[in-house]
Amino acid sequence: QVQLVESGGGLVQAGGSLRLSCAASGRTFSSYAMGWFRQAPGKEREFVAAISWSGGNTYYADSVKGRFTISRDNAKNTVYLQMNSLKPEDTAVYYCAAGPAGLPHPDEYDYWGQGTQVTVSS
C-alpha cells in the first residue's frame, strides 16, 4: 500500500516556475515507477511525466518537454515536478501516481494522490 500527498501548487504568472512535490508513505516506494498527470476543468486526465523506479529513465508529454523536469529521491520517498516557463494552458489539478511500469496511461497506475491546483495567469 502506498499513500501519496502532493504539495507545491499555487498561483503563478505566465513564464514563472513552480515545483510540485509528492510525498509517499510505505516502504515500497522505491519499487514503483511514478507519474504526474493533470486534469483541467471539462477535460480528461492527461499524462505529464513519468520516472522509473531507479530514476534512470524519464518520459514527458510533448506539451511539457523542455519545460518540466521529473525527479525522485528514494531516500526521502518523494517525487518532484519542476515546472518552468509556465503557460496558462498548464492550469490544472496535478496528480501524482504510483505504478509498476511508468507508462503514460492512467489505468497503469495503482495509487493516486488527491491532487494540487496549479493556476497560471496570463
Side-chain angles (χ1 to χ4, degrees):
Q1 189 80 7
V2 177
Q3 293 183 328
L4 304 172
V5 179
E6 302 95 336
S7 62
L11 174 64
V12 64
Q13 289 189 334
S17 298
L18 282 175
R19 188 175 82 153
L20 305 184
S21 299
C22 174
S25 64
R27 298 167 61 183
T28 59
F29 171 77
S30 61
S31 66
Y32 284 94
M34 299 297 295
W36 285 98
F37 290 77
R38 65 187 182 187
Q39 188 166 18
K43 294 187 177 182
E44 293 186 351
R45 191 168 296 190
E46 66 171 352
F47 170 75
V48 175
I51 188 166
S52 61
W53 66 271
S54 67
N57 293 294
T58 56
Y59 312 90
Y60 297 94
D62 288 343
S63 58
V64 307
K65 203 171 292 183
R67 299 188 298 123
F68 290 10
T69 302
I70 188 171
S71 61
R72 68 189 295 163
D73 185 339
N74 287 342
K76 296 182 178 180
N77 279 11
T78 302
V79 62
Y80 306 97
L81 185 68
Q82 178 67 43
M83 305 186 296
N84 299 329
S85 302
L86 282 161
K87 305 175 181 180
E89 51 264 43
D90 294 319
T91 295
V93 177
Y94 282 71
Y95 300 88
C96 69
L103 298 175
H105 307 293
D107 291 346
E108 297 293 333
Y109 290 81
D110 301 319
Y111 304 102
W112 292 83
Q114 293 301 306
T116 185
Q117 176 71 47
V118 171
T119 303
V120 184
S121 64
S122 56

